[in-house]
Amino acid sequence: MKRLTNLTFAAGMVVALGMFFSSCEGPAGPAGIAGVNGKDGVNGKDANATCTQCHNSSNIIETKTLQLDNSIHFFGTTVAEASRAGCAPCHSSQGYLDVIANSPFYNNYSVKNVPSNPSPVGSCYTCHNIHQAYDSTDWSFTGGAAFNMLIDSTIHLDLGEKANVCARCHQPRPVSPKPNLTTPTATMTIGSYRFGPHYGAQSAIFAGKGAFEFQGSIAYIQGQHNGMACADCHMGETDGIYAGGHTFNMANAESGSDNVAVCQTCHVGLKTFDNNGKQTEIQGLFAQLETKLDTLLDKDGTGAYTGYTDIYDPNYNPNGRYKSSSTSSFTTAQKTYNASLPSLTITNTVAAAIVNFMLINKDNSFGVHNYPYAKALLQNTLENLP
Ligand code: HEC
Ligand code: HEC
Ligand code: HEC
Ligand code: HEC
Ligand code: HEC
Ligand code: HEC
C-alpha cells in the first residue's frame, strides 16, 4: 500500500514538473544520432575464488584482531590527535593512507583531508592493502616504500618494506629551531616547551640516522640488528595474547616479562633484554647525560630537565619550566610560573645534546635497537658538553 501511494505521488510530481517546464521552453528539436557502444566492463571477481582466501574458517582475521586488542595501536587514545592535519598521518589509519597517496615521501606530512571519523592505527587497513585486489595479495603493505625522514629530508630511509611500514610513523619529527653544529658555540633561543623530536624516535636510532653526530672517542658503527625488520622482534612468536604477533609488544602486557623467545634464535640462553648488561650500560650513559643537562639547564634550580617527557602534559607537570607561547594550552599556574623564567638561550651544542638525549629516551630500547650506535651517540655527546 505504502509503495503504491508513493508511486502515485511520484507520477503526480512528474506531471506537475512537466507542466512547469513546458510553460517556459520552446518545442524540443529533432533527436540526435545514437552514440557508439561502450566497451565491455572488466568481468567481476568470483567471490568464491578470492574472498575466501581471507574470509574462511581459518580464523586468520580473528586471531590478529584479538592480538590487536592488546596493542596500544588499537586501544591507545592518541587517535584523538587525528583532528589536526599535522598529527593525523601517524595517529590515524586514514591519515596514514592519505599521506601515502598524496605525498609519498612525507616531505609534507600534513594530510589533505582531516578524517572526521578517524580509525585507530591498529586497523588492518592501515598497514595492509585490504580490499584493493580482493585476493590474498592484499596482505601486502601500504607504506612499504622508502621515504625521506622528517627530521632531515636529505636522508632517504629504506629499511625494507616490512620495516618501512612502521618507520614512517616511528620516526622523529622535525626539530625547530634546528641546532647548527657548524657553529657549535653560537647561541639559539628555544621558545617552546615542545622543542624536540617527538615520541617515536625508534627508526632513527635503529637505522643510526638523523641524530646529531658529535665527533668523539667512539666511531659511529651500526649494530648487527641492522637489516632486520621491526616485525622480526616485535611480531615474533606470540606469548599468549599479550606479546608478539599483532600485539607488537616486546614485553608481555600482563606479566611484564620479556618475550625473549624471539631473541633466543640468535642469542642462545638469553634470559632478559639486558643481554650482556648492554641495556644497563646504555642506561648508565643516558643517566650521565641527563645529569649533565640538568646542571647546564636548571635555570631556576627547582628540578631536573627532562624535556618533552615531563613538559608535555600540564596535568603531570604543573610546573613545567621553560617559556611557551601564551597561546598554548598550558594551565594558568604553569603559564604564570613560566612567565618569570628567562627564555632558553643556549649554544647549538647544548641544543643538539638535548635532541640526542630525547632520541635515546624516546627510542626506549636502551641499546637493543642499535647498541654500538647508541653508545657512540651518548659518549660523544657527553664529551662535547662543557
Ligand atoms: C586479503 C584478505 C581479504 C580478502 C581477499 C577479502 N577481505 Fe574482506 N576483509 C578483510 C579484512 C582484514 C577485513 C577487516 C576485518 C576487521 O577489521 O575486523 C575485512 C572486512 C570485510 C567486511 C566487513 C566490513 C568491512 O569493510 O570492514 C566485508 C563485508 C568483507 N570484508 C567482504 C569481502 C568480500 C565480499 C571480499 C571478496 C570480494 C573480501 N572481503 C575479500 C580481508 C579480506
Ligand atoms: C600509522 C602510524 C603507525 C604505524 C604504521 C605503526 N605505529 Fe606503532 N605506534 C604508533 C602510535 C601513534 C603509537 C602510540 C599510540 C598511543 O599511545 O595511543 C604506537 C605505539 C607502538 C608501540 C608501543 C609503544 C608503547 O609506548 O607502549 C610499539 C611497540 C609499536 N608501536 C611498534 C610498531 C611496529 C613494530 C610497527 C610496524 C609493524 C608499528 N608500530 C607501526 C604509530 C604507528
Ligand atoms: C611522524 C609521525 C608522528 C606525527 C606527525 C605525530 N606523532 Fe605523536 N606519536 C608518534 C608515535 C610513533 C608515538 C608513539 C611512540 C612510542 O610510544 O614509542 C607518538 C606518541 C604521541 C603521544 C604520546 C602518547 C603516550 O601514550 O604517551 C602524544 C600525546 C602525541 N603523539 C601527540 C601528537 C600530536 C599532538 C601531534 C601533532 C602535533 C603528533 N603527535 C604528531 C608519531 C607521530
Ligand atoms: C601496524 C601495522 C599492522 C596492522 C595494523 C596489521 N598488520 Fe598484519 N602484518 C603486519 C606486518 C608488518 C606483518 C608481517 C609480519 C612478519 O612477517 O613477521 C603482518 C602480517 C600479517 C599476516 C600474515 C602473516 C601472519 O602472521 O599470519 C596476516 C594474515 C595479517 N598480518 C593480518 C592482519 C589483520 C587481519 C589485521 C587487522 C585485524 C592486521 N594484520 C593489522 C602489520 C600490520
Ligand atoms: C632486535 C629486536 C628488535 C628490533 C629489530 C626492533 N625492536 Fe623495537 N624494541 C625491542 C626491544 C627488546 C624493546 C624493549 C626494550 C625494553 O622494554 O627494555 C623495543 C622497544 C621498542 C619500542 C618502545 C616500546 C615501549 O614499550 O615503550 C618501540 C615503539 C619499538 N621498539 C619500535 C620498533 C620499530 C619501529 C622498529 C623498527 C624500525 C624496531 N622496534 C625494531 C626489540 C627490537
Ligand atoms: C637474527 C639474529 C638476532 C636476533 C633475532 C636478535 N639478535 Fe641481538 N644481536 C645479533 C648479533 C649478530 C649481534 C652482534 C654480535 C653479538 O654481540 O652477539 C647482536 C647484538 C645484540 C646486542 C648488543 C651486543 C651484545 O654484546 O649484547 C644486544 C643488547 C642484543 N643483541 C639484544 C637482543 C635482544 C634483546 C633480542 C630480542 C629482542 C635480539 N638481540 C635478537 C643477532 C640477533
Side-chain angles (χ1 to χ4, degrees), residues 76-339:
T77 53
T78 59
V79 67
E81 310 292 358
S83 59
R84 289 155 73 184
C87 317
C90 308
H91 287 282
S92 69
S93 185
Q94 295 96 328
Y96 183 73
L97 300 176
D98 180 310
V99 168
I100 288 167
N102 298 316
S103 60
F105 296 121
Y106 261 20
N107 283 335
N108 169 5
Y109 66 112
S110 283
V111 292
K112 239 177 161 175
N113 306 298
V114 174
S116 46
N117 292 298
S119 295
V121 167
S123 153
C124 316
Y125 297 84
T126 309
C127 304
H128 300 290
N129 288 306
I130 303 301
H131 293 171
Q132 299 296 314
Y134 284 98
D135 61 29
S136 60
T137 62
D138 285 352
W139 292 126
S140 60
F141 301 119
T142 51
F147 59 93
N148 297 345
M149 291 185 83
L150 289 171
I151 195 165
D152 179 350
S153 60
T154 64
I155 303 173
H156 191 60
L157 194 65
D158 192 356
L159 300 171
E161 60 170 27
K162 201 162 82 169
N164 291 342
V165 73
C166 317
R168 275 167 189 277
C169 291
H170 287 270
Q171 62 162 320
R173 287 169 59 201
V175 175
S176 173
K178 191 170 181 169
N180 178 0
L181 284 189
T182 57
T183 52
T185 51
T187 56
M188 55 183 273
T189 298
I190 294 177
S192 167
Y193 282 98
R194 291 173 181 178
F195 176 76
H198 197 57
Y199 296 82
Q202 290 86 9
S203 61
I205 298 300
F206 184 75
K209 292 198 164 105
F212 289 96
E213 294 181 4
F214 288 103
Q215 291 313 301
S217 61
I218 306 187
Y220 291 95
I221 333 163
Q222 305 301 338
Q224 303 222 22
H225 293 159
N226 221 268
M228 290 173 72
C230 319
D232 293 341
C233 292
H234 285 269
M235 303 179 73
E237 202 167 314
T238 50
D239 180 9
I241 53 170
Y242 297 109
H246 278 71
T247 70
F248 306 92
N249 298 331
M250 286 306 312
N252 185 302
E254 177 135 289
S255 67
S257 60
D258 294 353
N259 188 17
V260 288
V262 293
C263 321
Q264 287 165 344
T265 50
C266 299
H267 299 281
V268 178
L270 176 145
K271 293 272 184 312
T272 70
F273 295 148
D274 194 8
N275 192 32
N276 301 324
K278 299 298 185 196
Q279 279 190 315
T280 308
E281 183 190 357
I282 296 297
Q283 273 156 353
L285 285 168
F286 176 76
Q288 278 182 48
L289 181 55
E290 184 172 18
T291 309
K292 195 121 191 198
L293 286 173
D294 286 346
T295 321
L296 288 166
L297 300 169
D298 188 15
K299 292 199 172 180
D300 60 349
T302 55
Y305 176 85
T306 50
Y308 217 132
T309 348
D310 82 346
I311 54 181
Y312 180 74
D313 189 337
N315 298 318
Y316 294 129
N317 186 31
N319 295 335
R321 299 172 337 113
Y322 296 102
K323 263 188 185 164
S324 181
S325 76
S326 54
T327 54
S328 74
S329 60
F330 291 86
T331 60
T332 311
Q334 204 173 26
K335 280 184 203 162
T336 317
Y337 181 83
N338 280 289

